[in-house]
Amino acid sequence: MVQQVTPETTIEVIYPESDGQPMADNTEQFAWIVKIKENLEILFASQADVFIAGDLFWYPVKGSPNIKQAPDTMVVFGRPKIKRGSYLQWDEDNIPPQVVFEILSPGKTLKEMTKKLQFYQRYGVEEYYIYDPAKNDLNGLLRSRDSFEVIEEMNGWVSPRFGMRFTLTPDTLEIFSTTGQKFLSPVEIDQLREQERQRAERECQAKEAALEELEKERNRYQELLAKVKEKGIDTDNF
């Protein structure tokens, strides 16, 4: 009797794209996540190989769906700007996010933040920034070989990867790009856009007024010439 061998069944591993939890615990935390994420998108808009995401699950180990984190904002240099349901590192040339931002809220416990720090340290993050809007407190960690070192002075710190500068005022955190452009909220960006539109409109109106005045002067000059000719005066040398 011939024994039949049943082929092994490959079990598909599911990597969830959502945990059902809200992106932020409060409006201020959400506003900061949006500000940082969207300003980074603007900053690197012309670079096709810089991927930026907010609250996206990152799975660093294939076959281990329980090993994951969803940074408030993460930046990956060397990966294309394409749509993703999650960041599966083994499908991304095994490139981990190099820079991660977390915005603290009352709902984030010390235990949770410790786990995140250990995760980011273990799986290759180079720069890790943590901002607490309620306390206006910014902390940063920088990779040194296989571990993180605390950045002792964050006020005025310039990111090695971004070239961005962090400034702590008495009231808030300000972030500046390499060109000195300040990170703004969507409302502030829209206000600047409107101010620029109004400025361009004023310039256009001023130019039109100047052209009208020039046309009036030209007409007055032609009228003057016509009157001079009527009196028989040679205008060829005018």
Side-chain angles (χ1 to χ4, degrees), residues 25-131:
D25 292 338
N26 55 57
T27 55
E28 186 172 29
Q29 184 193 18
F30 181 79
W32 271 103
I33 293 171
V34 171
K35 177 188 281 191
I36 292 174
K37 192 264 184 186
E38 293 305 314
N39 277 270
L40 288 172
E41 293 277 17
I42 294 170
L43 184 62
F44 293 104
S46 62
Q47 294 182 230
D49 63 343
V50 180
F51 173 64
I52 300 162
D55 196 40
L56 184 75
F57 270 140
W58 161 27
Y59 293 93
V61 182
K62 187 175 184 179
S64 300
N66 292 326
I67 301 176
K68 65 182 183 299
Q69 282 295 343
D72 286 338
T73 302
M74 67 180 189
V75 185
V76 191
F77 292 86
R79 299 309 301 153
K81 300 181 190 293
I82 60 174
K83 294 180 180 179
R84 296 169 172 83
S86 57
Y87 190 81
L88 307 177
Q89 188 172 315
W90 55 92
D91 287 338
E92 306 282 356
D93 288 344
N94 206 35
I95 298 176
Q98 293 96 347
V99 183
V100 163
F101 292 84
E102 292 285 355
I103 306 300
L104 289 186
S105 69
K108 289 188 176 179
T109 64
L110 178 60
K111 181 179 180 181
E112 179 185 359
M113 295 308 298
T114 300
K115 284 184 176 180
K116 286 191 173 188
L117 188 152
Q118 293 172 339
F119 181 96
Y120 297 148
Q121 180 173 266
R122 179 174 183 179
Y123 293 108
V125 171
E126 297 175 9
E127 300 177 37
Y128 178 25
Y129 299 106
I130 311 155
Y131 180 57

